[in-house]
Amino acid sequence: MPSESAVCVYVGEELAQYGFGSGHPFGPDRLGAFWEHAKRLGLDQRVSITAPVLAEREAIERFHTADYVSRVEHQSASGQGFLDYGDTPAFPGVYEAAGYVVGSVLDAVQRVIDGRCRRAFVPIAGLHHARRDSAAGFCVFNDCGVAIETLRRVHDVQRVAYVDIDAHHGDGVFYAFESDPDLIFADLHEDGRFLYPGTGRRTETGRGSAAGSKLNVPMPPEANDQTFLEAWDVVEDFVRRRQPEFILLQCGADSLSGDPITHLRYSARAHQHAAARLCALAEKCCEGRLVALGGGGYNRSNLAAAWSSVIGALLDCSG
Ligand SMILES: [Zn+2]
């Protein structure tokens, strides 16, 4: 049976620093909003609170090009300009802030692999839009992509499942691994005809030898918990059949009703369900190995409720 400290949760000022200024949807107050709520629920007494870790440049370059990493470093010093075509501004210290996101996720992966925790949650993470050579959609470094590359190259874990329930399509992960048959990808997102980034059609199932290893499920605007639960069964079956060795869950809270920039209408029950079901699956197929990443979510009480319900599910999971 997992001990009381079976779930590591990453909390610290270094992670809160990843934000684009107060008043921005992705502001630096997101971590605090989540953690205050989690503490009110007593979750801080039940998890192992783990300090953020700064990634080595070499680790970031497992996914990103050296040119792009240098550009982020340069613009981090000046704090000027954009890191993409206009969504993702540089700010002073953005390199370190994004480096702490990646480093904390890699530390979580390491701890789960070596058994120091059974499962882990990194709230400020799951920056799934960043491409290998560019930022995109508030995402500077793609911690999901770096984690997948690190699982392969450092931990010799090949078959990784990436499951994404953020309102936005995880395009930065999807296109980076579109031709990779060992990256099991399943993404429930608001239909791209209505929401950024506009990708993730049902017909996008992987290329070449990877055909069939990817599942994109566009959801209609206004989709609610019932729509989610019906779609979820397909996702779960898809992942189970492909027998992953490690599961990453991007549990973006912007798919909850009341988010200011999306149109889905789930409640935190959707996130609780996804986390509980994947946790049980991980216990069966992956020696329990699961890391959850906070992703988007721009209504503060929504992200607090969704992420707390994910932690609750990870704590209560017994396989
Ligand atoms: Zn999102």
Side-chain angles (χ1 to χ4, degrees):
M1 288 293 287
S3 71
E4 275 204 334
S5 60
V7 178
C8 289
V9 176
Y10 287 75
V11 180
E13 191 51 34
E14 299 91 338
L15 275 179
Q17 290 300 318
Y18 188 88
F20 300 92
S22 56
H24 190 282
F26 207 126
D29 58 318
R30 294 170 77 246
L31 181 69
F34 149 68
W35 192 236
E36 286 307 311
H37 182 72
K39 284 196 287 192
R40 281 195 293 274
L41 298 175
L43 293 173
D44 58 319
Q45 304 296 317
R46 299 179 64 201
V47 301
S48 281
I49 300 170
T50 310
V53 174
L54 182 61
E56 303 279 350
R57 181 181 174 126
E58 174 199 358
I60 299 169
E61 289 182 7
R62 287 179 200 135
F63 180 82
H64 290 289
T65 63
D67 279 356
Y68 173 59
V69 177
S70 293
R71 189 152 71 83
V72 176
E73 200 169 27
H74 182 73
Q75 286 187 240
S76 182
S78 71
Q80 301 291 316
F82 284 90
L83 295 166
D84 53 15
Y85 295 105
D87 272 342
T88 315
F91 58 86
V94 62
Y95 179 87
E96 288 74 21
Y100 270 107
V101 173
V102 172
S104 300
V105 172
L106 297 186
D107 190 67
V109 166
Q110 175 78 54
R111 283 173 187 264
V112 167
I113 291 278
D114 66 27
R116 278 178 291 162
C117 56
R118 188 80 176 165
R119 297 173 275 282
F121 176 64
V122 189
I124 308 300
L127 304 178
H128 59 174
H129 297 306
R131 301 301 181 97
R132 291 187 187 271
D133 61 355
S134 175
F138 313 156
C139 302
V140 175
F141 293 143
N142 192 324
D143 51 287
C144 324
V146 180
I148 293 162
E149 295 288 4
T150 300
L151 279 161
R152 267 86 180 272
R153 297 191 217 171
V154 176
H155 302 298
D156 199 26
V157 173
Q158 298 304 319
R159 291 187 66 74
V160 180
Y162 172 86
V163 180
D164 186 327
I165 60 170
D166 189 285
H168 302 92
H169 180 231
D171 57 340
V173 178
F174 180 80
Y175 293 109
F177 297 97
E178 193 179 13
S179 302
D180 181 332
D182 285 332
L183 194 274
I184 303 154
F185 178 99
D187 192 319
L188 286 160
H189 51 270
E190 184 174 338
D191 190 318
R193 288 174 294 176
F194 307 101
L195 189 68
Y196 176 93
T199 51
R201 291 187 307 278
R202 209 173 274 279
T203 51
E204 296 187 275
T205 61
R207 285 185 187 276
S209 65
S213 64
K214 316 287 182 265
L215 176 67
N216 280 299
V217 185
M219 305 290 277
E222 314 288 319
N224 60 16
D225 282 353
Q226 187 171 344
T227 326
F228 176 86
L229 292 173
E230 288 165 14
W232 175 261
D233 288 343
V234 177
V235 167
E236 189 178 322
D237 189 52
F238 180 86
V239 174
R240 180 189 298 105
R241 284 162 181 252
R242 284 162 181 80
Q243 292 290 304
E245 301 168 271
F246 197 106
I247 298 177
L248 292 170
L249 168 63
Q250 202 275 23
C251 52
D254 48 11
S255 43
L256 266 62
S257 181
D259 189 88
I261 65 175
T262 78
H263 318 99
L264 297 179
R265 298 183 61 84
Y266 310 159
S267 77
R269 277 187 53 225
H271 290 57
Q272 192 276 339
H273 185 77
R277 298 299 303 173
L278 285 181
C279 194
L281 180 57
E283 290 294 326
K284 289 198 179 71
C285 69
C286 318
E287 299 163 48
R289 301 189 294 197
L290 180 144
V291 171
L293 312 168
Y298 306 104
N299 173 315
R300 276 31 176 182
S301 53
N302 277 355
L303 67 84
W307 294 349
S308 295
S309 74
V310 166
I311 294 176
L314 299 187
L315 280 165
D316 294 340
C317 174
S318 56

